[in-house]
Amino acid sequence: MPRGAGRLSLFLLFTPFLLWIVLLIVLPQIGIGYVSLREKVGINQYEFGLKNYLDFVGEPIYRNTLLRTAWMSILVTACALVIGFPVAYYIAKVAGERSRATLFLMCLIPLWVSDLVRAYGWIVLLRETGVVSSVLLRLGIIGEPVEMLYNDVTVVIGLVYTVILFMIVPLVSTLQGMDNALLEAGYNLGGSRLTVFRRIIVPYAMPGIVAGCIITFMLTAGSYLTPILLGGKNSSWFTEQIYNQFITRYNWEAGATFGVVLLVFTSLVVWVGLWVTGQSLATTVAKD
Amino acid sequence: ETLRLLTWGGYAPEELIKKFEAENPDIDVEVTLSNNEEMIAKLRATGGTGFDLAQPSHDRVYAAQVEYNIYKPLDLSKINVDKMTPKLVEGVKANTTIDGEVYSVPHQWGTSGIMVNKTLAPDATGWADLCDEKYKGRTSMRLRRTILLGTAFGMGMNPFDLYGDKAAYQDMLDKVTEKLIACKSIVKTYWTGGDDLSALMLSGEVALSETWDSTAFKIYAENPDIVFVPPETGALAWIDTFTIPRGGQADDAAYKWINFVLEPENVKIMSASTGAIAAVPNGIELLPEDKRAAVEAAFDEKDIENLKFFANIPPGLEDMEGIALERIQAASSQ
Amino acid sequence: MPSSPTLRWVYRAYVVIFFLYLIAPLLAAGAFAFNDSLFPSLPWRGFTLDWFFSPTEPKLGLLHDTRLLRGMGNSLYIGLIVAALAVAAGTTNAFLFERRQFPFKSALYILMIVPLVIPGVILGISILVFASMIANFADRQMGLFITWLRPGIPLIVFGQVAFLTTITSLVIAARLKKFDIALEEAALNLGASRLRVLTTVTLPFLFPAMFSAFIVAFLVSFENFNTTLMLVGSDAPLTIVMYDRMVKAGSTPVLNAVSVVLMLGSGLLALASVLIQRPRRAG
Amino acid sequence: MHDLSCTGVTKTFGPFTAVSDVSLDVPSGSFFSILGPSGCGKTTLMRMIAGFETPTAGDIRIKGESVVAVPPNKRNVKMVFQHLALFPMMNVGENIAYGLRCRGDNRADIKRAVTRILERIGLPGSEEKRIDQLSGGQKQRIAIARCMVLEPDVLLLDEPLGALDLKLREHMKIELKLLQHQFETTFLYITHDQSEALVMSDQVAVMNAGRFEQIGPPKELYQAPVSGFVAGFVGDSNCLPGRIVEVRGSEAEVALDGGGAVVGHLSDASANGDEVEVFMRPEALQIGAVDGVPGLDGTVDSLLFNGANSRVLVKLATGQLIEVADPSQVDTAGEGSSVRISWFPDRARIFARRYG
Amino acid sequence: MHDLSCTGVTKTFGPFTAVSDVSLDVPSGSFFSILGPSGCGKTTLMRMIAGFETPTAGDIRIKGESVVAVPPNKRNVKMVFQHLALFPMMNVGENIAYGLRCRGDNRADIKRAVTRILERIGLPGSEEKRIDQLSGGQKQRIAIARCMVLEPDVLLLDEPLGALDLKLREHMKIELKLLQHQFETTFLYITHDQSEALVMSDQVAVMNAGRFEQIGPPKELYQAPVSGFVAGFVGDSNCLPGRIVEVRGSEAEVALDGGGAVVGHLSDASANGDEVEVFMRPEALQIGAVDGVPGLDGTVDSLLFNGANSRVLVKLATGQLIEVADPSQVDTAGEGSSVRISWFPDRARIFARRYG
Ligand SMILES: Nc1ncnc2c1ncn2[C@@H]1O[C@H](COP(=O)(O)OP(=O)(O)OP(=O)(O)O)[C@@H](O)[C@H]1O
Ligand SMILES: Nc1ncnc2c1ncn2[C@@H]1O[C@H](COP(=O)(O)OP(=O)(O)OP(=O)(O)O)[C@@H](O)[C@H]1O
Ligand SMILES: NCCCCNCCCN
Ligand SMILES: [Mg+2]
Ligand SMILES: [Mg+2]
């Protein structure tokens, strides 16, 4: 290709990328970084400083909410992995060619409706006068209606529900790439089921596991409706703090600070995860 | 031309919009539902653009305007102020005049108090009952500033008197916070909207709850056992107003709408939808039959006397209240 | 390895239970669209289609609920624009990263993936804050009202495009990676111009991926809440309308009816994208 | 006693029979190949021996013990997979140690065994190499070492050279044979490449559509095929369709489809009037008339020079092309000249015609 | 005039020279092959001819006109790609019509041309078939037809048989040659498989590490290689390293590394004391002493039966294995017996030793 034309087309390809990444990602992030450093000293009076961060550190509820969010997100990620792995394995390796496509499609079902409707569905099911309680009552398994909403278990169930898809999809695609001959070689050389699982399947699926965990963790940590609607009085989720700052307290400075804190903190968790498993972002999440 | 309303649920009934559009064929009405905090947040974010008419409560206009400059002064000559209840107009004007310019006029008023299912909680009378051990798991409230104020009244304090003194106010907030955290194990859940609350009450899951009277009046029609009870310390009275955002682009249409909803036959429709009382002299009479019954069942003369109107929040207090609310939310109930 | 029938049975049962778990809340939300009651909860008061078709209050059906319909219209409009932009940018990104060499490529590649792991809220607030900074500046310094930098459809579009472009880029790049560059050379060799090669060989090959990227982007946009909530102005998309309705007004089973319609719509779209991927398994 | 024997092994997948009534006995220490076209059931048979499939009927015995009920990880047959199936997430040493670890050997023994086997396959000190750092031939050897370190009764190899390139394949053919000598283990080798099977094996079973057509040493298959399929599949052959017009003892005269007649050796029970095929190897043919032997006339179509494998393509009157070996390609008749092809009748083999 | 000629063509990638000073002339209507090992620069050369790479130096002329500045879509050389590169989103007819459409022919002409060419390649009426419905050999022919319909001055083929399986590859070798005859177009054919190059070509250029080592007709390359590389790459050869001890005219005596001495024909300018390699083809060797000819002693290591290509592996005292052709494998000495290998000195070729 002639040089000039190559340059021109490179430029043409670069323009949308740069517009997107600079205007919609990089500058806005810098923007919240900037706002987070403005401290309010009076009505319409601001100074530069770390006060917002100091406030964050000084106020136990913020710290605790962040830790709780992180801890619950890790829990949700772990549950999603444990629940999702057998399903992913079934789809990728056990199911026949045709049912595989159908099962995979069925995994996408939760995506068909929004978070809102999903949470709404759980509420309809789990509330004290909801379907589950009524059915159990009718069957005589419980004596009086039970409230299944507003506790951490429910929040976890609901969150696992919303994110498990993002665990299963990368798992299925890595597991599908695994040659069955590897498993057979594993057995042929004398491995038991457990050995083959531990030494062959898991290491092979590691990029998928890590990718799934990263996405799941980030989605959970950044979710809003599910923990709020299902957690009720006991919710307290870090994104809620951010929304609260912006939407009910119109305190953008604090909100931006929380945003930066959340981003840094979750990135840190992801980074530690990558480091522990010896993977990198480009080899896991980006893998097709 | 489009008239973009930023208002409360129920404050723009479909019937009225249709009628208004019929009378003004060149105007299209678009509605965004909101609440006090969000109205301010939204207008702050838009720099006062994006909406042509907003309806914050009277106590939430002043500080927001001073700090964020999101409204424009009203041209009172374009509003039929004389059709409104003079006392309410004066009250609102007093709260929302800055540099001699008036920023809002009243629209609907009502109270916050408690809603009681008489079969389940026959003797609930005040804010304090919401945290009574005997209703464990059977009460609800909205975790917003109203419950802070109500609880303070219930504890024998008067927060409005403390507005001038931040330290005292903080002191009061601390007590209220402590009380409400202790109360958390009693409360079944914090409701977030009228719908939520209606479902909780109608299903019988909740026996008593903090509420807007208007929501209570609506439920009364479904189940007459559920009534609004003005707390013995006085129901908290609010006035929802009209303001015009600074970047509004349809001022004429906005004034037309304000005047339109003052027409007696329209007031009727409006009140039927909001459950609240219009800021016109015969507001109560213009309520629909069933709601008027509910109001009459709820209020007697003494209650009306006892109303506590929300006072203007001075800038800064909201932050203190915000932190108090966050503490309560984050505290564990177990 | 041959496994015992019991084991296989247990495994299958587990998978079935899992799918029941996936479908349960949707069934629950869907079913109450047909309950002849003002509240979306038990007890069951009989079957009705009023929540879809009734023209009058109190059971105003979906088809007559102008706000929901307008929200749906907004969502549709936003979704189409967002999907088109994200697919366009995704396609150029795919070409950029699969075909070109340039300095700092791997760093920029990581940057391209990063939006995937930025929580939606943060994208929302960052775009809100950034746009407001510019708009406030213009307002204060020049007295200009730049309305499209204020919450509203343009900002929603920006916010959603911000993270969807990563997804579309990855989907399209994955397909482009499978493209045998010899096909382009063959076309050139047979006398085609570069433009013709692009339109007759490369883009047709990419089309299935572009199509499914479009569908995914559209569906995700249609459902997005976290980012949109921060950026919404007066033209709210459906999820926000529904949320506002639930929280601020009184929700009736009409919201369940909306859910049913959404499930059907997304289901059909998902099916379409699968079908278009299938028959011409070129590769 | 045989290291491996199968009796009447059959495997059906639904209505389809992949392996049908196959019996074989592999003597200890020998190199046994199964040769057949793609899809004939070779892999299925091998998978039954390894235990990944259960036979529908028949018995499989290893060192005399039936293993049909033994799970794959308990059978002492090891397998080299077609694409080798080396574990990509382990290095060379770990790959080889895998089986030993599964067996529960102690660390020191494992380390010693791995070192020793790497020496034996000529890759000493490669324990730490990653799999993707190895060349094709090295991978091959690691895959074999990974099995051999476990001292299996039988080593199964499923087309292990299929993925290698031409020159390397030639080389590995000889190397595999040497490795087998060195380990003195029984090898069961699958391939669809007849030259691999012929060069390496002590015994070859030719498989077609799930059945064994012939079992024997390579030379026997080449020189005395029992069926048209074997004659055509093993080694190059010209194949002329026709019909028997006269049987004379072990010979017969065949009238070719499209004209001409040839005399050849009757190799199966074909009788007068049967439709048959006559198989003649290129090296059994010669150009020029020879007294007292049959022949066919044609014209030289082209000369295909290929060193010692050079051929003359002769076009018969029927249009059919016949390959004639012509190793020297000196004074060969030029393209277009008329020639006569001759052969000794016993080197033309007549088999009943195959259908389908 | 030559259909294609290259003069001093060089291509460097950064510090690496992929093609170095290559010149070639392909006469009109001939079948010209470039034969060389993987990575020697064959594809790079072809891509320069097709216009996908620009030569660093040198000139490429087609029908006498320099095309270095002509973009690839304007050159009248068409190319059959290694993996064929048929357009999967178009059917057979559309694939063939593609080039005609680009040229702007009208619909009716295109339709006619497509029909005709499909007949010529023996696939009449397959216009509507999808590419994935074709067999390997059919795809091959479509790829050629797609180019030939444009009546190119030169057809380039980059290892087009590489992706086919063994039996089909044998078959397509002959078929390709026939197609070339039929179209009478100049073919430039790339391969690393010497038997393909030898069988099909009029002229073969042997390429190594970016350079041409020898250009000539197949027989010449086989019988009179000009370098050790050619001798080793074209056809099978045994290669014995040693050092010249005495030169006698065109012959020389070589003391082998590890012991023993052989006499052979000096093929390049090697002189007394030079390190050399002696190349001997398996078919030039025979087992058993022959009077007056040189020989080497060894023991029979193994017999590799492969029909007409059978070999005896003889292990020399030095441990080196020597392949000796033994087409019949009748009365061959058994494994382990001592034998002498003999050859005529003019069939042992001595070349300077290659390094690296
Ligand atoms: N699990 C299965 N279900 C159904 N049919 C099968 C199964 N496994 C193999 N087959 C069929 O059995 C036949 C034999 O397959 P097999 O893999 O044994 O052939 P092969 O001789 O190894 O061929 P190749 O040389 O191509 O590897 C094929 O027709 C194949 O389609
Ligand atoms: N674009 C390039 N940049 C750098 N090096 C290249 C490039 N293209 C080819 N090479 C190098 O040039 C050498 C010759 O490559 P080429 O593809 O021409 O080999 P080849 O003879 O066709 O091999 P094969 O038979 O494996 O196809 C190789 O070492 C290759 O790595
Ligand atoms: N704190 C002020 C509350 C104002 C409430 N307006 C309520 C409208 C409810 N439909
Ligand atoms: Mg096989
Ligand atoms: Mg090449």
Side-chain angles (χ1 to χ4, degrees), chain A residues 63-119:
Chain A
R63 282 197 322 257
N64 292 342
T65 308
L66 180 62
L67 290 180
R68 181 187 133 92
T69 304
W71 147 241
M72 291 269 283
S73 300
I74 290 172
L75 183 70
V76 166
T77 305
C79 290
L81 179 60
V82 170
I83 296 172
F85 197 97
V87 178
Y89 189 83
Y90 190 92
I91 294 175
K93 291 280 148 196
V94 181
E97 187 74 42
R98 219 175 319 143
S99 49
R100 175 174 311 150
T102 320
L103 290 179
F104 196 73
L105 261 193
M106 279 169 59
C107 280
L108 303 185
I109 282 176
L111 255 201
W112 291 7
V113 293
S114 54
D115 243 1
L116 186 71
V117 175
R118 290 188 287 241

Side-chain angles (χ1 to χ4, degrees), chain D residues 103-287:
Chain D
R103 203 162 70 183
D105 288 12
N106 73 47
R107 286 182 163 272
D109 288 351
I110 293 180
K111 204 167 145 47
R112 224 171 305 121
V114 170
T115 313
R116 200 172 47 233
I117 197 115
L118 281 173
E119 273 163 18
R120 281 178 80 179
I121 58 163
L123 293 168
S126 353
E127 280 92 340
E128 299 300 323
K129 286 220 176 118
R130 283 207 324 274
I131 295 304
D132 55 16
Q133 291 173 325
L134 302 177
S135 73
Q138 289 172 332
K139 281 188 195 155
Q140 194 73 62
R141 280 180 276 169
I142 300 299
I144 293 171
R146 184 173 73 170
C147 295
M148 294 314 296
V149 78
L150 295 170
E151 293 162 351
D153 294 330
V154 180
L155 183 68
L156 310 176
L157 301 102
D158 187 357
E159 309 200 23
L161 304 184
L164 304 183
D165 82 13
L166 219 75
K167 286 258 156 180
L168 188 56
R169 198 148 64 207
E170 289 300 319
H171 175 76
M172 287 302 296
K173 259 187 227 175
I174 296 177
E175 177 148 339
L176 258 183
K177 177 85 187 168
L178 297 177
L179 276 172
Q180 193 248 347
H181 267 303
Q182 195 190 335
F183 287 113
E184 290 180 339
T185 301
T186 308
F187 275 36
L188 180 64
Y189 188 92
I190 277 186
T191 181
H192 62 251
D193 178 341
Q194 38 111 354
S195 90
E196 283 174 20
L198 294 180
V199 166
M200 295 189 280
S201 321
D202 298 315
Q203 292 268 320
V204 179
V206 181
M207 191 167 185
N208 183 28
R211 305 184 165 276
F212 281 175
E213 297 244 344
Q214 185 171 6
I215 305 185
K219 224 186 253 188
E220 185 181 309
L221 298 181
Y222 192 83
Q223 287 162 355
V226 299
S227 70
F229 177 80
V230 177
F233 197 78
V234 178
D236 288 347
S237 260
N238 295 293
C239 169
L240 304 167
R243 175 186 298 270
I244 294 184
V245 282
E246 195 191 336
V247 176
R248 313 179 199 127
S250 69
E251 288 187 0
E253 186 173 335
V254 175
L256 298 183
D257 295 359
V262 299
V263 175
H265 181 267
L266 261 183
S267 305
D268 57 8
S270 299
N272 232 333
D274 282 1
E275 298 207 307
V276 293
E277 287 168 324
V278 185
F279 289 88
M280 294 177 297
R281 302 210 178 273
E283 72 266 22
L285 301 176
Q286 66 191 88
I287 297 224

Side-chain angles (χ1 to χ4, degrees), chain E residues 96-110:
Chain E
I96 296 180
Y98 190 86
L100 298 169
R101 290 224 195 125
C102 290
R103 201 161 73 181
D105 288 13
N106 73 47
R107 285 181 163 275
D109 288 352
I110 293 180

